[in-house]
Amino acid sequence: NAGVTQTPKFRVLKTGQSMTLLCAQDMNHEYMYWYRQDPGMGLRLIHYSVGEGTTAKGEVPDGYNVSRLKKQNFLLGLESAAPSQTSVYFCASSYSNSISGNTIYFGEGSWLTVV
Amino acid sequence: DAKTTQPTSMDCAEGRAANLPCNHSTISGNEYVYWYRQIHSQGPQYIIHGLKNNETNEMASLIITEDRKSSTLILPHATLRDTAVYYCIVRVARSQGNLIFGKGTKLSVKP
């Protein structure tokens, strides 16, 4: 059981290049999330999805797009990378938004540097 | 949305109990308290969560005060591998399950 898997783990981009981060989960979770974490700071939500075919904006969505074509996959795209997008990106998933408290599981992170 | 306040850093001797406090004075009646930790350069790891009763699992214990305005995460026998940033989070029901991460407490377990 792999849990939440992110690819690639490391990437260096030039300003203006595009790329896609792939997140895959094998827990049959409905909800998936993309966060970014900058040095010395907590995680900030970029986009999230509450089910296949749905996406929604989080706290810091500008410069990113997402797609959830399959329940198990959540893609994060950078159309024109900027140095401000240098960060560590974490994908996460959970069963649902039940207030009774479903745990959110995180991937190991993708380190992106934009030069 | 309920916010949390945690000390910036704490030290603990290896083998001793680590008690990490968290204040959440504006928590609403149906909001849960979650604890996650992040070991350097890794993804956040779920530890425990609770509503009003004390909770215990294989990793830790969670003590919530009767008025629910504060809580304490207890690692009963801290090891060097418990060195991490610990996040106390109140679940925000309206935000589609988002977890609002603050800066957490940097716990350093020392030999």
Side-chain angles (χ1 to χ4, degrees):
Chain A
N1 191 349
V4 179
T5 305
Q6 297 178 225
T7 53
K9 289 194 168 37
F10 301 95
R11 183 75 185 269
V12 178
L13 282 179
K14 293 182 179 179
T15 298
Q17 284 186 319
S18 64
M19 76 158 296
T20 300
L21 295 175
L22 171 63
C23 177
Q25 52 94 4
D26 61 2
M27 297 174 282
N28 201 33
H29 286 169
E30 292 91 1
Y31 283 53
M32 296 188 74
Y33 316 81
W34 274 107
Y35 289 85
R36 63 176 287 174
Q37 185 173 35
D38 300 309
M41 298 185 66
L43 281 76
R44 294 183 292 169
L45 183 66
I46 304 172
H47 286 280
Y48 63 96
S49 167
V50 301
E52 183 178 322
T54 73
T55 63
K57 294 180 180 179
E59 181 186 357
V60 288
D62 294 341
Y64 304 95
N65 57 75
V66 288
S67 64
R68 183 98 180 269
L69 298 179
K70 294 182 178 180
K71 185 177 184 179
Q72 64 268 33
N73 296 334
F74 195 30
L75 279 62
L76 178 70
L78 286 72
E79 289 188 346
S80 180
S84 61
Q85 294 177 303
T86 294
S87 190
V88 183
Y89 292 85
F90 290 100
C91 179
S93 69
S94 67
Y95 275 111
S96 70
N97 183 33
S98 168
I99 191 59
S100 65
N102 281 311
T103 302
I104 295 181
Y105 297 88
F106 286 83
E108 289 303 307
S110 296
W111 276 252
L112 176 64
T113 301
V114 183
V115 297
Chain B
D1 297 341
K3 298 188 185 298
T4 62
T5 304
Q6 300 176 252
T8 301
S9 64
M10 294 182 62
D11 290 340
C12 177
E14 188 178 18
R16 304 297 294 268
N19 297 283
L20 291 89
C22 179
N23 288 320
H24 32 78
S25 58
T26 61
I27 191 171
S28 64
N30 60 353
E31 287 183 311
Y32 282 65
V33 179
Y34 278 78
W35 282 85
Y36 281 76
R37 73 180 182 183
Q38 188 173 23
I39 298 171
H40 182 63
S41 300
Q42 297 182 20
Q45 177 188 23
Y46 166 80
I47 302 173
I48 199 168
H49 73 281
L51 181 62
K52 60 177 73 173
N53 297 321
N54 297 338
E55 302 288 345
T56 296
N57 63 20
E58 65 278 4
M59 290 183 66
S61 295
L62 174 60
I63 308 299
I64 302 174
T65 58
E66 191 169 343
D67 63 8
R68 302 186 72 239
K69 292 185 177 182
S70 66
S71 60
T72 301
L73 177 75
I74 301 172
L75 307 178
H77 305 287
T79 70
L80 299 179
R81 286 176 292 183
D82 291 322
T83 293
V85 177
Y86 287 77
Y87 296 98
C88 169
I89 300 164
V90 173
R91 192 170 180 88
V92 181
R94 295 191 305 275
S95 299
Q96 297 288 331
N98 184 29
L99 297 177
I100 307 296
F101 284 81
K103 294 190 177 181
T105 296
K106 169 66 175 176
L107 175 68
S108 298
V109 181
K110 300 182 184 298

